Amino acid sequence: MSKSLEAGGSQENGKLLLLGAYFDFIRIRFLTMLAYRVNYYSGILIYTLNIGVNYFTWKAIYGGGESLGGFTSAQMTTYVAVSWMARAFYFNNLDREISSDIRDGSIAIQFIRPYNYVLVKMMQGLGEGLFRFLMLMIPGMVVAVLLFPVELPTDPAAWIGFLVMLFFSFLISSQINVITGLSAFFVENNEGVMRMKRVIVDLFSGLIVPISLFPGWLSSVLDVLPFQAITYLPGSVFTGRVQGVGIWNVLGIQVFWFLVLLIPIVWLYYAARKRLFVQGG
Amino acid sequence: MYHLGLLWEYLKNYMKTRLTYRADFWVEVISDLLFQATNFIFIMVIFMHTESLGGWNQNEVVFVYGFFMVPFGVFSCFVNMWNFSERYIVKGEMDRVLTRPAHNLFQILLENVDPPSLIGSFIGLVIMAISGANLGLPFEWWTIPVLLLLTLSAVAIYTGIYTALTSLSFYSDAPTGILPLMYNIQNYGRYPVTIYNRAIQVLLTWIIPFAFVGIYPAALFLQRDEMRGMAILTPVVGAVFLSIGLLCWNYGVKRYKGAGS
Amino acid sequence: MNAIEVQDLRKTFKVQKNREGLKGAFADLFKRQYSEVTAVKDISFKIPEGEICGYIGENGAGKSTTIKMLTGILVPTSGQVSVGGFVPYMEREKFVQNIGVVFGQRSQLWWDIGVIESFQLLRKVYRVSEHDFKKRLDELVERLELQELLNRPVRKLSLGQRMRCELVAALLHNPSILFLDEPTIGLDIVVKSEIRDFLKDTNREHGTTILLTTHDLQDIEALCSRVIMLDDGRIIYDGGLEELKQRWGTGREVQFQFGAATRLAQLVQWTEGMPVTWTAENDLGAKVWIPLELNVSDVLARVVGAADITDIKIIETNTDEIVRSIYQSGSADKPEDKIAALQEEKEAAHV
């Protein structure tokens, strides 16, 4: 009796330790990001520039008209700013990191360590995201509000909804990155796949063009793809185009995609392990 | 002559390497095309909602896009330094390059040639031809030589900017993520810069002159007189920025040799 | 003539300090702190043409930094370097025509293509004529038995095969000076000795000057007539290998096997008056330690006449041990000398 209790206790302890280890991955990546000074300074400048250029491009497209695809000119400005800033948070290079681990063989060492490799990568991505959220997204948003006519939401529900959805944006975007990265197990050189992924995510998530502005057939295709959950849905909540109960609905879509994308990851992970251990890489 | 011979040798080696990974070759070509297609979709979407972008109609904007693809393809083929920091500084291959009797930058460029990118240039030419025909642009005796000159100048601008940025790797011990961000910005040179505010115009014209790889030189063929002066300036800007890039590079190498890794 | 001349060579690096913790990292974001590290501290040496010189030292002693300065990769902070009549970092492109470099841990061959393609490309890079190239390649390929490997891609080669190809790549342009950074690292004994033989032949036939760094002292024993030993950026020993052994070997050990049981007291008695130390292993075996100033034969003469001996083995202190003890003391002066020197210093201080 007491023996089994002890065993249970040490198991609990072990779990706590492992949890602590995962937390450490977030912390270490955060610190690593801090060390990349040049990246940090240039990141702020370039994200501001991106917002600026997109703002002026849309201004030229509106050319005095009031509404495009359900977006007013002011909403579009806000949408552009918040979308780029959100990208600063959810964007990471997990796909590149994973595939280079696979190509240089160091993944074998990662797989025999007593943690889940994919989870570790997600934690590192989160550390990177948190860094960018605090150091880049928030100051960047302040700059954007000062420079461009951005309208911040007044409804607290929009703020809370947006922040929760932003976290899911990160999860979904990172899941797609993990899937792309793990594909290196099965394609000899997945550079092309990674480039394609990047372009597709930027365009089809609604970062460059809000989904409602695409031609009808394309936007109905995009409605059933996971990409809109990354940028378009949280952006719609922030601009106030989706309110009240609608926030629960779009959040539901994100949760749905988060769960669905777990399936290929788990499958790829086990297929990769099998490949690594049975066939020797 | 020595350098041309080397270029040929490296291209031969590239082909041999590539033939061992045939599937990758096609994946790369297709992903390139897809990348171009998405940009194209953006233009299409814009013109679904408006007649003109800052006074430029759809065919004109598409023509500028076509021109933009030509020097970009050439640049991507011969100047491909995306993984410089990782491969040459972190993994230390720079040391090997420095023990060989050819200019170090030249060796690095040769080791990374990427001919599939040239397909983009050809597609760009086709797009120029189609949209040019739609616009009824005249084909003059000077069209081809000027196109060549402007393409080379634009390639020089790209090379200068990216060489300067890559040479940052010699100073910063951390891998830099500036290049992919710059990649976003260069695309803004494809749209009429006049739609932006003064600050961004100045930036894209004089500081990181991506307007000179797209809109300005293309305007010459579109007979847009308001930008003719700028178009003629393209070779000068190319020479200036290429020199800046090479200076930064050589200075960086000097520093590398002083500081080591 | 000297192939390599180094005078008061010094190299200082600026190293970025990372402050600890989150607070430190934030502080680093805005203001970096640097500290200076001197990797090579005013070293001087000359290597004549045709010599094979071993350059040894522990990790971080400054070996790689020196090699990088000698090959023109790094510019010295101060001091003079001349390699094959060139200042390496000045006319780099002309200078490197004369040298060959092998970094044991890094490949200079193209990963995905046949070995021969890499050689062809290097031929162009070094502007070797087709005729010379063919002659040289045939010679090297035959000597290193690479015929079957030439068309294989590098990634399909074993480490030993790859290293032999690396040597060919470094020697194709017939350099007069060859730098080898850990050429035998990770190789098995057979390949190691093949490579050693090859290097010796290259040196003999072409008069190639070779400077190699290694952690494997057998490389040194097999190849080098001279050793330069580095510790913490300074040269602590520069001279012949034999001399090193003599200076540092404190004595020899002789093992005896006896036909009949022999008591320790008996042995001690036989060598009465000699400063030797006996240790018994069992009834039929004993060891005697003989200091350097005593002739081994004198000791043997006393024992051989008296005891029933079945086997004798003379053991010299090996280089491994010598080097290990030099590293421990941080100086190639004999320990006694060092202590004496210290005492002198002390006395001088007292005066």
Side-chain angles (χ1 to χ4, degrees), chain A residues 138-213:
Chain A
I138 292 179
M141 207 60 204
V142 171
V143 173
V145 169
L146 291 176
L147 288 180
F148 312 109
V150 174
E151 284 176 352
L152 297 177
T154 46
D155 181 9
W159 279 102
I160 296 166
F162 173 74
L163 288 176
V164 173
M165 291 187 76
L166 187 60
F167 183 68
F168 275 95
S169 298
F170 160 78
L171 288 176
I172 294 169
S173 151
S174 302
Q175 283 177 311
I176 293 173
N177 281 346
V178 168
I179 293 170
T180 317
L182 286 177
S183 74
F185 263 114
F186 309 96
V187 192
E188 245 196 288
N189 181 351
N190 67 341
E191 183 63 40
V193 181
M194 288 191 293
R195 287 221 303 240
M196 259 194 270
K197 183 230 76 186
R198 189 183 175 129
V199 171
I200 288 177
V201 168
D202 275 356
L203 185 72
F204 290 166
S205 71
L207 175 71
I208 298 172
V209 182
I211 308 249
S212 63
L213 264 70

Side-chain angles (χ1 to χ4, degrees), chain A residues 195-256:
Chain A
R195 287 221 303 240
M196 259 194 270
K197 183 230 76 186
R198 189 183 175 129
V199 171
I200 288 177
V201 168
D202 275 356
L203 185 72
F204 290 166
S205 71
L207 175 71
I208 298 172
V209 182
I211 308 249
S212 63
L213 264 70
F214 280 118
W217 63 272
L218 187 55
S219 59
S220 52
V221 170
L222 293 180
D223 274 348
V224 295
L225 290 176
F227 306 111
Q228 59 157 343
I230 299 173
T231 306
Y232 183 63
L233 298 183
S236 299
V237 170
F238 194 82
T239 50
R241 299 181 69 247
V242 172
Q243 291 174 336
V245 192
I247 298 180
W248 289 104
N249 290 338
V250 288
L251 183 62
I253 298 177
Q254 281 194 317
V255 175
F256 169 76

Side-chain angles (χ1 to χ4, degrees), chain C residues 26-218:
Chain C
F26 270 106
D28 279 341
L29 191 60
F30 299 104
K31 195 168 163 38
R32 281 271 159 88
Q33 284 183 338
Y34 296 94
S35 54
E36 285 208 335
V37 171
T38 307
V40 173
K41 298 170 179 164
D42 305 322
I43 61 171
S44 306
F45 60 85
K46 290 188 174 77
I47 297 174
E49 267 175 16
E51 193 168 69
I52 306 186
C53 180
Y55 200 62
I56 57 179
E58 288 175 306
N59 290 329
K63 285 174 302 182
S64 294
T65 309
T66 318
I67 295 271
K68 282 183 181 176
M69 285 191 280
L70 292 177
T71 50
I73 295 170
L74 290 180
V75 179
T77 309
S78 66
Q80 280 93 48
V81 205
S82 160
V83 177
F86 287 93
V87 178
Y89 57 92
M90 302 270 282
E91 294 161 274
R92 194 185 66 79
E93 279 162 38
K94 233 194 256 167
F95 158 72
V96 293
Q97 287 280 358
N98 290 317
I99 62 163
V101 186
V102 176
F103 293 112
Q105 318 220 45
R106 282 183 219 138
S107 183
Q108 48 183 332
L109 304 167
W110 278 255
W111 205 240
D112 294 314
I113 50 175
V115 177
I116 185 76
E117 314 284 354
S118 286
F119 293 163
Q120 285 284 2
L121 209 134
L122 287 171
R123 172 181 94 75
K124 292 274 167 64
V125 172
Y126 284 97
R127 307 177 213 217
V128 180
S129 76
E130 191 79 61
H131 174 78
D132 290 351
F133 171 75
K134 212 177 151 346
K135 199 171 134 234
R136 188 94 177 115
L137 185 66
D138 285 348
E139 182 191 320
L140 290 167
V141 164
E142 198 181 325
R143 178 66 185 75
L144 286 165
E145 294 168 22
L146 296 176
Q147 294 87 347
E148 265 106 78
L149 307 181
L150 283 181
N151 288 310
R152 267 195 242 167
V154 176
R155 67 193 147 92
K156 296 258 163 81
L157 298 181
S158 73
L159 188 58
Q161 292 169 333
R162 207 200 82 200
M163 191 47 72
R164 292 186 330 216
C165 294
E166 299 278 349
L167 281 171
V168 175
L171 288 167
L172 273 176
H173 55 291
N174 206 357
S176 60
I177 304 167
L178 182 61
F179 293 93
L180 304 165
D181 196 7
E182 307 271 355
T184 59
I185 196 159
L187 302 179
D188 64 48
I189 297 175
V190 181
V191 181
K192 273 186 183 174
S193 76
E194 267 176 33
I195 286 185
R196 285 174 197 145
D197 287 346
F198 170 74
L199 290 174
K200 240 190 283 187
D201 290 353
T202 307
N203 168 261
R204 201 176 41 234
E205 284 159 27
H206 299 274
T208 313
T209 311
I210 301 178
L211 183 71
L212 77 151
T213 73
T214 180
H215 280 114
D216 185 341
L217 292 159
Q218 270 159 2

Side-chain angles (χ1 to χ4, degrees), chain B residues 128-198:
Chain B
M128 280 171 80
I130 294 172
S131 53
N134 285 346
L135 288 164
L137 292 181
F139 190 88
E140 312 271 0
W141 63 268
W142 49 263
T143 305
I144 298 241
V146 168
L147 180 64
L148 261 173
L149 175 72
L150 292 179
T151 300
L152 286 179
S153 312
V155 171
I157 293 173
Y158 278 122
T159 310
I161 293 174
Y162 282 98
T163 306
L165 286 176
T166 307
S167 61
L168 277 177
S169 313
F170 291 119
Y171 300 89
S172 163
D173 46 356
T176 54
I178 305 177
L179 293 186
L181 291 171
M182 201 46 82
Y183 205 77
N184 273 324
I185 291 179
Q186 81 193 14
N187 290 335
Y188 303 142
R190 290 196 305 245
Y191 305 107
V193 280
T194 40
I195 63 174
Y196 307 133
N197 72 348
R198 197 78 206 123

Side-chain angles (χ1 to χ4, degrees), chain B residues 40-144:
Chain B
F40 211 69
I41 292 173
F42 179 59
I43 296 176
M44 293 302 155
V45 169
I46 286 179
F47 282 98
M48 276 172 54
H49 299 279
T50 179
E51 282 291 294
S52 88
L53 188 64
W56 298 58
N57 65 33
Q58 178 165 8
N59 269 316
E60 286 174 316
V61 172
V62 169
F63 182 90
V64 175
Y65 182 54
F67 174 84
F68 172 86
M69 286 173 77
V70 178
F72 182 65
V74 177
F75 160 75
S76 305
C77 170
F78 294 105
V79 186
N80 178 4
M81 300 194 284
W82 299 110
N83 58 358
F84 173 79
S85 173
E86 218 222 10
R87 178 172 168 192
Y88 291 90
I89 305 289
V90 179
K91 291 204 175 131
E93 290 202 29
M94 191 66 197
D95 289 352
R96 169 180 57 78
V97 169
L98 287 173
T99 60
R100 297 248 173 93
H103 188 267
N104 50 69
L105 179 59
F106 185 65
Q107 283 185 63
I108 289 165
L109 296 185
L110 286 183
E111 285 176 11
N112 294 290
V113 280
D114 185 39
S117 310
L118 285 176
I119 293 177
S121 298
F122 287 112
I123 294 176
L125 287 174
V126 173
I127 292 177
M128 280 171 80
I130 294 172
S131 53
N134 285 346
L135 288 164
L137 292 181
F139 190 88
E140 312 271 0
W141 63 268
W142 49 263
T143 305
I144 298 241

